[in-house]
Amino acid sequence: MHSPFPYTPRILRLAAVLLSVTGAARAATPPVTLDRAPFGATPDGRQVEQFTLTSQQGMRVKVLTYGGIISAIEAPDRTGHVADVVLGFPTLEGYTVDSARGGLFFGATIGRVANRIANGTFTLDGHTYHIPRTDGANALHGGLRGFDKHVWTVEGTTTTAHGASVTLGLVSPDGDQGFPGTLTTHVTFALNDRNELSLHYRATTDRPTVVNLTNHSYFNLGGEGSGPIENHVLRINAESYTPLDGASIPLGTIAPVAGTPFDFRTPHRIGERLREATPQMMFPRGYDHNWIVNSRLSPVPVLAAHLVDPASGRTLDILTTQPGLQVYTANSLDGRYAGPSGHAYRQTDAVAFEAEHYPDSPNHPNFPVTELRPGQTYDETTIYRLGVEPTPRPRG
């Protein structure tokens, strides 16, 4: 008797081969992992941990409980070579002593208010508050002991087939660094299989206060310690920026980028106009300005900037719900500090993209508000998306 399905054995054998090949391919795909390990202790004896998040695409991110610091972002170039693309230190002492002494904030979560507050003072509901001055006459990045100098609490971790995350928390008491209200902050660092590192910030308060959180990672897509980023090509999706005075405080005006060194609406080398002898470029000794990238305050992250390193082919997209993007060409690095590569860090060896509200916002009613009141939740997201450009085709 003939089978009504004469090819069934052949099909079954073929299916078995396909399943075997598929299984081997799956086995060859690296799993998503999240590792947790000690990373030393602070000078006052508090234990610090390091979390390592690894994606299936060869990207790895390291996060410290000290300062909510991103201590490494390892990503492949166009040839598959993996390198760390953010500046940092191999030991905790680099962050607790060297970076803290220099006020450089390598990879740190910045708060309670990022950027500068003029004269260290602001008024809220008729009361004037005083924040320690740490940048000349101004308060910078939260005062003498901002969020970058605390050990955060581990609130939870997750691992799925498509990504991993760790959530850190910090409670800043009423009066901390002069700010009103007890602020409870949570930051979730999540890495997915599209090589996107998402930073989700949430905060609540028991009294009216001001909040402006960001991350201060220094990027070099050629690799940490590889030298200047002046040949990196940058595009910023912004038609305007906030000009500064000689103390790096916004004048309070919104100015068009057209016809200025701040026009990155089309891609330009970072170093192309870095040394122009205009007051805006000379005040901070390079770029250290706020571009308006999300004036409509979209609750969904918008593409704020795109960075390319032509040499390695690595690319970086910055997407955010924040209204501004502070771009800083590491103007204060002077060779006093060296990273894991053993190379000293100097001016223009990296560029920071601080997605945040505008500088000195508490003193400018025309800027997007940074006020947070009981019953409200501060909720902002920034995404760093790593990728590669294809190898250029030879001409001719």
Side-chain angles (χ1 to χ4, degrees):
M1 181 177 179
H2 294 287
S3 169
F5 305 105
Y7 300 105
T8 298
R10 184 182 302 171
I11 293 173
L12 290 174
R13 285 195 298 273
L14 178 60
V17 171
L18 289 174
L19 285 172
S20 175
V21 171
T22 303
R26 287 177 178 170
T29 301
V32 172
T33 61
L34 189 153
D35 296 319
R36 183 174 185 172
F39 196 74
T42 62
D44 62 357
R46 298 201 63 185
Q47 298 300 309
V48 174
E49 294 183 290
Q50 178 174 262
F51 289 82
T52 302
L53 290 62
T54 306
S55 79
Q56 293 183 340
Q57 306 303 318
M59 181 170 163
R60 186 162 64 170
V61 174
K62 297 181 180 181
V63 179
L64 304 181
T65 54
Y66 179 78
I69 287 171
I70 297 173
S71 57
I73 298 178
E74 299 172 5
D77 65 8
R78 65 163 64 95
T79 68
H81 174 71
V82 175
D84 184 5
V85 298
V86 293
L87 275 53
F89 298 101
T91 65
L92 181 61
E93 187 179 19
Y95 298 100
T96 58
V97 179
D98 293 340
S99 180
R101 184 189 300 125
L104 299 172
F105 309 99
F106 283 86
T109 297
I110 304 298
R112 178 176 307 196
V113 172
N115 219 305
R116 293 170 176 85
I117 297 177
N119 299 311
T121 62
F122 67 92
T123 300
L124 178 63
D125 294 344
H127 186 85
T128 299
Y129 296 93
H130 301 274
I131 315 304
R133 299 176 180 184
T134 56
D135 180 58
N138 307 314
L140 175 65
H141 292 332
L144 286 172
R145 192 165 184 251
F147 288 7
D148 59 295
K149 297 178 181 65
H150 287 268
V151 177
W152 292 55
T153 301
V154 180
E155 297 189 336
T157 63
T158 62
T159 305
T160 70
H162 300 289
S165 71
V166 57
T167 299
L168 304 181
L170 182 70
V171 177
S172 173
D174 182 31
D176 185 13
Q177 300 300 296
F179 292 103
T182 298
L183 188 78
T184 303
T185 301
H186 319 269
V187 183
T188 298
F189 302 82
L191 176 65
N192 64 26
D193 55 13
R194 297 184 298 278
N195 280 2
E196 294 174 336
L197 173 61
S198 171
L199 280 58
H200 183 198
Y201 306 90
R202 290 160 293 144
T204 55
T205 184
D206 62 357
R207 284 182 57 196
T209 190
V210 290
V211 186
N212 186 15
L213 306 178
T214 193
N215 180 269
H216 205 292
S217 289
Y218 291 85
F219 286 90
N220 185 324
L221 298 185
E224 169 281 316
S226 64
I229 45 79
E230 294 188 30
N231 284 330
H232 283 35
V233 178
L234 176 63
R235 185 180 78 244
I236 304 176
N237 292 331
E239 296 185 352
S240 54
Y241 77 109
T242 50
L244 306 172
D245 65 15
S248 292
I249 295 297
L251 300 173
T253 57
I254 306 297
V257 298
T260 75
F262 306 98
D263 191 351
F264 284 91
R265 291 174 296 176
T266 57
H268 288 271
R269 287 178 54 252
I270 290 179
E272 182 178 332
R273 297 165 296 184
L274 193 62
R275 292 167 178 80
E276 288 200 9
T278 65
Q280 284 299 309
M281 294 300 294
M282 295 176 72
F283 287 153
R285 306 188 305 278
Y287 291 111
D288 190 8
H289 297 76
N290 167 65
W291 276 259
I292 298 171
V293 295
N294 185 13
S295 60
R296 297 183 180 181
L297 301 180
S298 167
V300 178
V302 300
L303 180 62
H306 177 75
L307 184 69
V308 179
D309 172 30
S312 69
R314 291 189 185 91
T315 65
L316 171 67
D317 289 328
I318 301 97
L319 302 92
T320 189
T321 58
Q322 299 269 23
L325 183 70
Q326 186 87 8
V327 179
Y328 174 55
T329 47
N331 308 329
S332 295
L333 295 184
D334 57 8
R336 286 182 292 170
Y337 312 110
S341 63
H343 294 159
Y345 294 150
R346 297 189 178 277
Q347 187 177 20
T348 75
D349 275 359
V351 55
F353 297 100
E354 304 160 56
E356 59 190 33
H357 278 58
Y358 309 167
D360 198 31
S361 282
N363 291 313
H364 295 275
N366 59 316
F367 287 178
V369 298
T370 52
E371 296 174 8
L372 184 70
R373 298 180 179 275
Q376 298 178 334
T377 299
Y378 175 95
D379 191 329
E380 301 285 357
T381 298
T382 295
I383 298 171
Y384 298 121
R385 181 168 61 207
L386 275 295
V388 292
E389 283 193 329
T391 303
R393 293 181 179 180
R395 296 181 179 180

